[in-house]
Amino acid sequence: MKPAGNWRTQGIEAHALRLEAKVSSYAEIALPVASHRLRVPKDHEVIVEVLAAAVNPSDAKAATGLMPYAVFPRTPGRDYAGKVIAGPETLVGLKVFGSSGDLGIRTDGSHSSHLIVEADAIVPVPEELTMQEAAGIGVPFVTAWEGLSRAGLPTSEDTVLILGINGKVGQAAAQIASWRGARVIGVVRREESYVGHSTGTVEIINATHDNVPARVRELTAGSGASVVFNTVGDPAYDMGQASMAAGARAIFIAAVERLVTFDILAFYKGRHTYVGIDTIALGSLASGAILRQLVQGFATKALRPFPILPHAMYPLERAYDAYQLVMGSSRDRVILMPQDFDPCT
């Protein structure tokens, strides 16, 4: 790639949130806005003017030391959308989005006015999406796709059971599975319907008053689910495993308590496959590759971004409020806006 003009200049002053050291609780997270000159990008990197950046639970968890590999001091933020302002000529001016397991944890991230990232990691924003919507896609959709992909992308022959379907990863998994033609069954813990988008019917089981495995067997003529996507972790472990069909795959992305009772006999007699997903292990390039596979779905509206509501958009100066909203179990997709720009663009 040939660099454009004088794009290596260090004249850009970035305004970013800074985490100086880990804290003992979410309430203690302090996110002062600090200014600094950008470093010189490398030949394979671009500078992105960040127009929107999502706040993920992992951003706050890393601040409390739950991820021992998190580097301090640093700027948090894994997901972003913005405009390339420096880099190869063919990319300058392009509206892009991206995600990463490195950004905001091992390296400075997206909760900043400007971001340096690999040129091969950025993905053009489909015209159908606003910048805030694009920024909100990242971690949930990357996690859902990585899980379903490693377990074997579902087809019209599959029944996908999603435990915690109304969470962000659960919704993304439901969208992808229904886009692929699979039957989707979701589990909730309150009296509610599925709140997200899908291209097919989503059947709901309420775990507070239904026997989930029995209901799954009833809905599948006794066979069970061929894919169980557990977004909740150990609290839903037993019901998920009891709902699996012969030869089924189970996907795990979370844990509350680390240990569960593993029935090794049921595992090998059922010919089951267990898949563990940690998107922190996926760098910007790997995350970008996944997002490129999803773009066509968003362009055709088979996939849809999460709604971004006005009350869930914050300037950098109100980052503390944004973080507390996320860790307060809000279902809103919370977005930081590092620049002065029209929220509708």
Side-chain angles (χ1 to χ4, degrees):
M1 293 180 293
K2 181 181 178 182
N6 63 349
W7 72 286
R8 285 181 171 277
T9 58
Q10 290 180 278
I12 296 175
E13 183 173 287
H15 305 280
L17 303 181
R18 295 300 287 173
L19 289 167
E20 296 299 329
K22 71 177 182 180
V23 296
S24 59
S25 70
Y26 300 130
E28 295 178 17
I29 294 175
L31 294 156
V33 178
S35 298
H36 67 281
R37 297 286 179 182
L38 288 185
R39 67 170 173 82
V40 176
K42 300 175 183 177
D43 286 345
H44 66 284
E45 295 175 326
V46 296
I47 300 176
V48 176
E49 181 182 60
V50 180
L51 300 180
V55 181
N56 292 288
S58 57
D59 298 325
K61 290 177 180 178
T64 63
L66 292 180
M67 298 173 188
Y69 37 77
V71 174
F72 295 92
R74 61 186 163 80
T75 293
R78 298 175 61 189
D79 295 337
Y80 62 91
K83 182 172 65 175
V84 177
I85 62 169
E89 292 178 358
T90 56
L91 299 179
V92 173
L94 190 66
K95 290 183 177 180
V96 299
F97 73 116
S99 183
S100 177
D102 288 328
L103 289 176
I105 296 177
R106 299 182 184 92
T107 62
D108 283 341
S110 63
H111 296 171
S112 173
S113 61
H114 296 81
L115 172 69
I116 295 177
V117 68
E118 300 98 319
D120 289 341
I122 58 177
V123 182
V125 175
E127 293 182 0
E128 294 76 13
L129 304 183
T130 68
M131 299 304 282
Q132 293 95 329
E133 289 171 338
I137 289 170
V139 169
F141 275 91
V142 168
T143 304
W145 180 270
E146 178 72 355
L148 292 171
S149 177
R150 285 190 50 206
L153 285 172
T155 69
S156 59
E157 302 298 315
D158 284 303
T159 295
V160 179
L161 177 69
I162 303 173
L163 309 176
I165 194 169
N166 278 336
K168 290 296 179 283
V169 175
Q171 290 182 46
Q175 288 204 43
I176 294 168
S178 66
W179 179 36
R180 299 273 309 170
R183 180 184 185 183
V184 177
I185 301 172
V187 176
V188 298
R189 286 192 173 274
R190 64 180 80 169
E191 203 63 50
E192 62 182 356
S193 58
Y194 174 55
V195 301
H197 167 71
S198 72
T199 56
T201 301
V202 173
E203 298 157 286
I204 292 295
I205 301 173
N206 187 337
T208 58
H209 57 65
D210 288 333
N211 181 313
V212 172
R215 182 65 179 139
V216 171
R217 301 286 174 190
E218 180 183 344
L219 291 171
T220 59
S223 64
S226 55
V227 179
V228 175
F229 202 130
N230 185 340
T231 75
V232 179
D234 46 284
Y237 176 82
D238 289 335
M239 72 172 70
Q241 304 323 101
S243 300
M244 295 177 72
R249 300 91 81 191
I251 304 162
F252 302 94
I253 68 167
V256 178
E257 301 293 338
R258 296 179 61 174
L259 302 180
V260 296
T261 300
F262 177 63
D263 186 339
I264 193 170
L265 180 67
F267 172 71
Y268 74 75
K269 286 292 186 181
R271 308 187 307 280
H272 294 157
T273 299
Y274 289 2
V275 177
I277 300 300
D278 178 16
T279 56
I280 298 295
L282 300 178
S284 296
L285 296 176
S287 299
I290 290 173
L291 291 173
R292 275 188 283 276
Q293 295 183 78
L294 294 167
V295 162
Q296 183 60 27
F298 288 104
T300 61
K301 298 187 178 180
L303 301 177
R304 295 183 185 175
F306 302 111
I308 308 299
L309 304 177
H311 72 264
M313 294 186 286
Y314 294 84
L316 282 183
E317 290 74 18
R318 291 190 59 201
Y320 178 84
D321 296 331
Y323 271 66
Q324 297 308 310
L325 182 61
V326 169
M327 299 318 297
S329 300
S330 170
R331 286 188 173 178
D332 294 327
R333 194 66 169 125
V334 178
I335 301 293
L336 291 175
M337 302 183 301
Q339 313 284 346
D340 291 327
F341 73 105
D342 183 349
C344 296
T345 60

